[in-house]
Amino acid sequence: MSATGRVERFFLPPPADTLKEGYNLLKTSEFWRDFGYSMFRIITGFLLASFIAIPSGILMGRSRKFAALLEPSISFIRFVPMPAVIPLMILWFGSGEWGKVVIICLAVYFQLVLMVADTVAYVPQAYYDIAHSVGATRWQQLTHFTIPAALPEIWDSLRINFGLAWSTLVFAEILGAMSGLGYLIVRSQRYLLTERVFVAVIVIGLLGIVTDKFFTLCYFRWFTWSEQVKKAERENDQA
Amino acid sequence: MIKLNSIDVTFNNSKISVEALKDLNLEIGIEFLSVLGPSGCGKSTLLRLLAGLQAPTIGEIEINSQDSFSYGIVFQDYSLLPWLNVRENIELGLQIRKAPEQERRKVSSHLLKQLDLDEASNLLPHQLSGGMRQRVAVGRAFAQSPTLLLMDEPFGALDAFARMELQLSLSRLYEDNPHTVVFVTHDVEEAVFLGDRVCVMTERPGRVRRILDVNFARPREKALKRSRGFLDIRYEIEDMLTPP
């Protein structure tokens, strides 16, 4: 449509121009700087969130007391959309690097912790019966039974929440940053470099697909047994 | 020696109370005890009681053993950890007890051989047939060499052929290394073939109806199932459970 010239190019640039612009952009150091900043923020924020969410989720899944203590407040925060509190976060943590990292970490944490807790709470009793019969201590119950049984689902939750981390990151960078792929979008829009907006959006989408594939590949490499168990359960349900 | 003295187990919930076991008396030595009874007669409750997963409402359980008490259990299904391979599943109890690697290997290699699982040692449970899976479960229970071995209809879901194979394997393991085994089953032939004694239970609330001695020589072979003495006991029990 845009190639015919009927639409102003700053609304919808022709695909060929977008490709060309994309090629040019990839050659600039400024693009790679933005890319690097975004990667740093998302990876640090996500890892931080995982390191806190997985242990506390396991604790919540295993201990009713702990769950009762934390779940109401976590559920409340979980339903508050992150973009609504990003301005507040920027106010508190500043618009520097750690501000962004904290935003991603919080957005991911509150989703992830409940998913982990849920997975852990649904580890079948049969495994604990085996644990009891081999005389496992409480700690061994956790390390030899609960965690391996829950790990595939936890990994899957990580995959799902990485998507959330992406959207939070871009949003945070649009609202308050001087670098990153989100900032690239704002800057380009300001100067009506619409091709660049498209390039940035495409790059973000591709990165999302790549990370998702990475998680899925690892899942099938490490947890073949889990797929097989699920399949058997489905067949049992049908029978 | 394990002694159950006038045990009652009653399950209460807000509306109804169900008597699962009533005035149950039983002595179990180092022997293979088969437990037979109609469904819902409290056989599983009996196993849970022996495992310490269920406390008696009334009565007491005495356990006299030199070593510290431990038990192994095999269920009808879900007896294995799906993320461990065959060898690791067999070694699970030893691993938990932090037995040295060398000892673990020795025990598991011996059991893998006896159970004909040599070639499967690196496979995961989902790659095995139902019969092989139960063989691994039996191996896991024996590897712990527990004071008490509990089996809750372990071969109930298997086809006749796999069942026969497993009965023979279990017999061999038991003959090599006698333990106290309590084996719950629905199958009269299986109970007689495996047991030193067969305990027949009443309908709910469960109680011991009769205990029959089965004194066939060991090792027991397949042909035993067709012998006159075997069939006599088998028919006697069948008539007891379903009067002609």
Side-chain angles (χ1 to χ4, degrees), chain B:
Chain B
M1 175 76 102
I2 297 168
K3 266 175 116 175
L4 303 177
N5 296 326
S6 21
I7 300 278
D8 283 14
V9 175
T10 312
F11 295 111
N12 284 310
N13 76 26
S14 52
K15 284 183 196 128
I16 44 167
S17 85
V18 177
E19 287 183 308
L21 298 172
K22 188 154 178 72
D23 196 28
L24 180 89
N25 289 289
L26 191 59
E27 274 184 31
I28 313 167
I30 295 184
E31 62 173 323
F32 197 117
L33 179 75
S34 302
V35 178
L36 264 175
S39 15
C41 74
K43 292 178 301 221
S44 293
T45 308
L46 174 63
L47 287 191
R48 292 178 61 81
L49 207 61
L50 290 167
L53 291 166
Q54 169 74 50
T57 314
I58 301 174
E60 54 170 13
I61 305 173
E62 275 176 56
I63 296 171
N64 301 313
S65 84
Q66 295 105 341
D67 315 320
S68 59
F69 173 79
S70 65
Y71 76 96
I73 194 159
V74 182
F75 306 101
Q76 185 167 327
D77 36 33
Y78 303 117
S79 280
L80 301 178
L81 299 183
W83 56 88
L84 298 182
N85 69 27
V86 168
R87 187 187 278 274
E88 291 163 339
N89 260 296
I90 291 181
E91 290 179 1
L92 181 67
L94 299 164
Q95 172 92 49
I96 291 289
R97 216 190 297 152
K98 301 202 173 84
E101 162 123 33
Q102 223 182 343
E103 187 197 330
R104 292 201 318 251
R105 289 273 131 165
K106 208 176 116 199
V107 172
S108 61
S109 298
H110 176 71
L111 282 165
L112 284 168
K113 199 170 203 144
Q114 276 197 308
L115 290 163
D116 232 344
L117 288 166
D118 272 329
E119 277 158 29
S121 70
N122 289 319
L123 298 181
L124 290 173
H126 74 258
Q127 297 167 304
L128 307 176
S129 68
M132 280 169 103
R133 249 178 289 189
Q134 284 312 77
R135 226 176 291 170
V136 180
V138 168
R140 196 202 70 226
F142 266 89
Q144 295 166 245
S145 54
T147 331
L148 174 63
L149 238 149
L150 304 171
M151 306 212 168
D152 194 357
E153 298 180 39
F155 311 148
L158 303 180
D159 61 82
F161 180 72
R163 206 177 171 119
M164 184 68 232
E165 295 263 283
L166 267 153
Q167 289 169 2
L168 284 170
S169 301
L170 177 59
S171 246
R172 290 297 93 84
L173 283 180
Y174 174 73
E175 283 147 11
D176 281 0
N177 184 7
H179 279 76
T180 302
V181 183
V182 179
F183 186 101
V184 166
T185 177
H186 278 306
D187 183 334
V188 178
E189 187 189 56
E190 182 169 85
V192 178
F193 180 73
L194 290 169
D196 294 315
R197 292 193 299 160
V198 176
C199 166
V200 182
M201 292 182 60
T202 61
E203 276 174 32
R204 198 166 62 203
R207 176 174 344 138
V208 176
R209 177 160 171 185
R210 220 180 119 190
I211 293 182
L212 294 93
D213 287 311
V214 182
N215 292 319
F216 303 118
R218 289 183 184 273
R220 293 185 181 169
E221 298 297 341
K222 235 180 348 194
L224 174 67
K225 288 192 177 183
R226 297 198 196 135
S227 71
R228 189 57 203 269
F230 184 92
L231 290 173
D232 283 346
I233 297 190
R234 182 181 156 185
Y235 294 147
E236 188 184 342
I237 296 174
E238 279 176 4
D239 289 345
M240 208 189 302
L241 289 170
T242 50

Side-chain angles (χ1 to χ4, degrees), chain A residues 81-118:
Chain A
M82 257 300 135
V85 290
I86 286 178
L88 195 60
M89 295 287 158
I90 292 174
L91 195 67
W92 286 349
F93 300 105
S95 60
E97 280 324 295
W98 289 109
K100 251 72 83 190
V101 169
V102 168
I103 289 168
I104 294 170
C105 178
L106 289 176
V108 171
Y109 175 80
F110 289 104
Q111 301 291 328
L112 191 56
V113 72
L114 289 186
M115 286 165 91
V116 172
D118 222 40

Side-chain angles (χ1 to χ4, degrees), chain A residues 127 130 132-133 140 148 225 228, chain B residues 51 71 79 82-83 96 126 144:
Chain A
Y127 297 146
I130 299 176
H132 186 266
S133 84
Q140 286 174 325
W225 65 267
Q228 296 298 326
Chain B
Y71 76 96
S79 280
W83 56 88
I96 291 289
H126 74 258
Q144 295 166 245

